[in-house]
Amino acid sequence: MSCPSFDVGETFGALLVGSVHDPSSMVGIIWCAELANGIGLVASLYRMVITNFGHPERLVFFPTSLLVSAVMGTLVSVIVPGFFTFRIYALSKSLWIPCLCWAILLFRLIPECVIVLGFGIHEPIHTFLERWGTMFNAIWGASAINDLLIAGTMVFLLYRHRSGAMDDTAAIVDKMIEWTIETGVLNSIISIAMLSVFIAMRDNFIWMAFFVVVSRIFSNSLLASLNSRAAFRSANHLTFVASVPNSFPRATNPVNITVEMTRTTYEEGTAKL
């Protein structure tokens, strides 16, 4: 019985290109943005709960450090989905969905940064939220839909490539699909929760707890995705250890023979690595 036709180059080759296209500069930018985000949050909390302790009347404007922290968090929340969108392009070789996703990401990045830095510094908190609340609803709602679109497209593309794969290869694809669903759905849930709380309770800062967590979720999903490549390499590299009895009478320990194998598929009598 011949094995089913399976082009590794057009399936896992494309996935490999998308997986390794992660220059160290992107990881460095994420790390610096998260560091600035954390420093800004600590500085803001110190000013609000220590410096201005017992003087709530002073908390009329957003602390500048908090606004800078928000911009850094937004930067992370745009770069990471942009990276996953590039993976969609690497798998599909089509620009329709990637361009749509990148357009939504720009819609989140540019207006949010302009509003936060251009008006958040000079406008009182209550006025700022009343004036720009509807815009933030649209931005965060579009971002939540974008997260679902990215995750759904990745799952569809992986499942389409799985149909022609052998059992062991299909198991790797199933693991990829599982991780894609976990990370994508979690990002969307956090974004939807933040948007829901912001709409229902705009007069308090409960929504900011979700806003702070969003960037952490995105950065962790990126690191988990990059670290998962080692597991995929191990799954695609088989090692067998066989114990062979020694024929010499004085030897008491068996001889261990280790054979390392990599998967090879065949199509019409031609081997493809």
Side-chain angles (χ1 to χ4, degrees):
M1 173 181 280
S2 61
C3 296
S5 176
F6 179 62
D7 194 330
V8 178
E10 294 182 357
T11 53
F12 288 102
L15 180 63
L16 178 63
V17 171
S19 299
V20 301
H21 192 273
D22 50 10
S24 57
S25 59
M26 183 189 67
V27 179
I29 292 174
I30 295 294
W31 186 88
C32 292
E34 284 289 3
L35 179 62
N37 187 7
I39 293 175
L41 287 175
V42 172
S44 302
L45 290 174
Y46 188 89
R47 178 182 175 182
M48 289 187 289
V49 303
I50 302 298
T51 304
N52 295 325
F53 178 77
H55 297 279
E57 71 279 358
R58 298 178 183 175
L59 302 177
V60 177
F61 296 89
F62 284 113
T64 303
S65 56
L66 182 61
L67 298 177
V68 173
S69 176
V71 171
M72 293 297 102
T74 300
L75 185 63
V76 173
S77 301
V78 168
I79 292 178
V80 175
F83 168 74
F84 289 134
T85 302
F86 176 82
R87 284 188 167 182
I88 292 177
Y89 170 72
L91 280 172
S92 65
K93 300 303 180 183
S94 174
L95 285 173
W96 289 102
I97 293 182
C99 285
L100 175 61
C101 294
W102 285 324
I104 296 175
L105 292 175
L106 288 178
F107 174 66
R108 173 168 188 176
L109 176 65
I110 297 177
E112 187 168 324
C113 291
V114 171
I115 293 172
V116 169
L117 295 180
F119 300 93
I121 297 177
H122 307 291
E123 294 183 352
I125 296 176
H126 178 74
T127 303
F128 177 82
L129 295 179
E130 287 295 328
R131 182 179 181 183
W132 302 106
T134 303
M135 176 62 73
F136 284 121
N137 292 342
I139 292 174
W140 294 339
S143 298
I145 295 174
N146 195 35
D147 295 335
L148 289 176
L149 177 61
I150 293 173
T153 305
M154 284 291 296
V155 169
F156 170 77
L157 293 174
L158 290 172
Y159 185 80
R160 187 179 65 180
H161 291 313
R162 182 189 185 280
S163 59
M166 295 179 294
D167 292 341
D168 50 359
T169 306
I172 299 178
V173 180
D174 290 339
K175 190 63 178 178
M176 294 179 181
I177 293 175
E178 178 184 347
W179 287 355
T180 301
I181 293 175
E182 289 176 354
T183 55
V185 172
L186 180 59
N187 294 339
S188 298
I189 290 175
I190 295 296
S191 298
I192 293 173
M194 177 183 66
L195 177 60
S196 302
V197 173
F198 181 75
I199 295 175
M201 296 179 287
R202 190 177 298 178
D203 295 333
N204 56 47
F205 284 167
I206 295 179
W207 60 272
M208 292 196 66
F210 295 93
F211 184 83
V212 171
V213 171
V214 166
S215 63
R216 305 305 198 266
I217 296 295
F218 276 111
S219 58
N220 286 333
S221 65
L222 173 66
L223 296 178
S225 176
L226 299 181
N227 293 334
S228 66
R229 295 176 301 173
F232 290 148
R233 294 192 193 100
S234 300
N236 200 39
H237 191 77
L238 305 180
T239 302
F240 299 94
V241 179
S243 296
V244 180
N246 197 324
S247 59
F248 295 97
R250 293 183 180 180
T252 58
N253 297 326
V255 179
N256 292 330
I257 300 177
T258 301
V259 180
E260 296 186 354
M261 302 177 63
T262 56
R263 294 185 177 91
T264 305
T265 60
Y266 295 87
E267 181 180 352
E268 296 181 357
T270 302
K272 291 187 177 183
L273 295 177

